Amino acid sequence: MTKEKNMDPKEFDLKPGENEQYKPVKADLVCPHCKKKSTMTLRACVNVSLHPEEKEQVLDGSFFQYTCPSCGEKISVSYPILYDDMGKALMIYLLPDETEVALEKLNAQQSSWSEDMLKAAKVCTMRAVRNINELCEKIKIYDAELDDRYVELTKAFVFAQFIKQQPGFQAVQVLYDRQNGDDGLVIMGKDGKTLWVSWPEGLYDEVINMFSERIGSGEGTAYELIDANWSMKILAGKP
Ligand SMILES: [Zn+2]
């Protein structure tokens, strides 16, 4: 897992779909290695429909990698950025700093969106994520043509089973992945150990059958945090 340094530039007021707003922003960065200050350019948006090569860079982490000009240290820098895949009607906002607060602010900006933008938002899947790993997870889920809401619920069942078999295992992150054609979970432990658990055959479809009525089609126009907390609320039967 990459260590991330969070940046929170003040100049973020974004309306998805309005590309002229997506101007790069300069930000100062203090190198964690040599402590020297340098200026890096932060992007406000990754549009992988226009720049497909950038999708690979996001997935392999190079998109967020910055090389310190003083000492050459490679630093993974995460900051608010919109990942926009028009082909998949998927918009994912990375909000690494105070995610819930930032999300509320972002959704409050909707009152100033144009009619066209609101129409686009209705057909798009709109998500917020806390870190680069979660951003990559969402991309992989939609590449696998799955729905992240059912994936989160399936993760909860599979992880509960895993913990029964390995009590005391301290997981720091649990992420969906597809390996050798199998859907499953990458479970990262506190000790740095990473385990792979594949999903039981048919579980994902069973989860859809169990919950589709309850969670609906999800046609909102707000960015949503669909994560373990969300699935716990659904499993607890909360509205
Ligand atoms: Zn440095």
Side-chain angles (χ1 to χ4, degrees), residues 158-190:
V158 175
F159 186 69
Q161 201 57 40
F162 167 81
I163 280 299
K164 254 188 221 163
Q165 286 157 4
Q166 300 221 26
F169 186 92
Q170 289 185 293
V172 289
Q173 197 153 34
V174 181
L175 298 168
Y176 164 84
D177 200 3
R178 181 170 278 183
Q179 294 190 1
N180 305 317
D182 284 334
D183 292 320
L185 299 184
V186 173
I187 302 174
M188 298 172 211
K190 210 177 171 184

Side-chain angles (χ1 to χ4, degrees), residues 23-107:
K23 287 186 192 123
V25 177
K26 298 267 184 216
D28 287 335
L29 177 75
V30 176
C31 173
H33 186 66
C34 72
K35 315 286 179 213
K36 288 220 174 87
K37 206 161 111 175
S38 59
T39 305
M40 70 173 289
T41 306
L42 305 183
R43 297 262 305 274
C45 177
V46 195
N47 186 324
V48 299
S49 306
L50 300 176
H51 304 282
E53 74 285 359
E54 290 186 334
K55 179 177 174 178
E56 282 318 305
Q57 292 167 8
V58 169
L59 287 171
D60 70 19
S62 58
F63 186 89
F64 294 101
Q65 211 165 66
Y66 174 73
T67 306
C68 171
S70 300
C71 73
E73 178 84 355
K74 284 188 166 56
I75 313 157
S76 183
V77 184
S78 63
Y79 52 89
I81 189 168
L82 174 64
Y83 176 93
D84 188 357
D85 187 336
M86 299 187 290
K88 288 193 187 323
L90 176 66
M91 294 198 282
I92 310 168
Y93 229 115
L94 171 62
L95 299 169
D97 202 45
E98 293 188 47
T99 305
E100 280 86 357
V101 180
L103 178 60
E104 212 171 297
K105 276 189 201 160
L106 181 67
N107 283 330

Side-chain angles (χ1 to χ4, degrees), residues 8-14 25 42-44 79-81 93 109:
D8 186 25
K10 303 284 172 266
E11 298 297 312
F12 278 92
D13 179 28
L14 297 178
V25 177
L42 305 183
R43 297 262 305 274
Y79 52 89
I81 189 168
Y93 229 115
Q109 290 174 12

Side-chain angles (χ1 to χ4, degrees), residues 104-116:
E104 212 171 297
K105 276 189 201 160
L106 181 67
N107 283 330
Q109 290 174 12
Q110 281 199 23
S111 53
S112 64
W113 286 2
S114 66
E115 199 75 0
D116 281 352

Side-chain angles (χ1 to χ4, degrees), residues 119-178:
K119 251 185 234 162
K122 253 178 214 156
V123 297
C124 278
T125 301
M126 296 167 77
R127 297 293 183 252
V129 292
R130 296 170 205 275
N131 55 52
I132 298 168
N133 284 341
E134 287 181 12
L135 170 61
C136 294
E137 180 193 37
K138 293 289 180 203
I139 297 170
K140 288 178 191 170
I141 289 170
Y142 283 89
D143 274 352
E145 294 177 344
L146 301 173
D147 181 318
D148 65 334
R149 299 169 306 159
Y150 300 115
V151 168
E152 278 304 330
L153 290 162
T154 306
K155 277 166 75 175
F157 287 115
V158 175
F159 186 69
Q161 201 57 40
F162 167 81
I163 280 299
K164 254 188 221 163
Q165 286 157 4
Q166 300 221 26
F169 186 92
Q170 289 185 293
V172 289
Q173 197 153 34
V174 181
L175 298 168
Y176 164 84
D177 200 3
R178 181 170 278 183

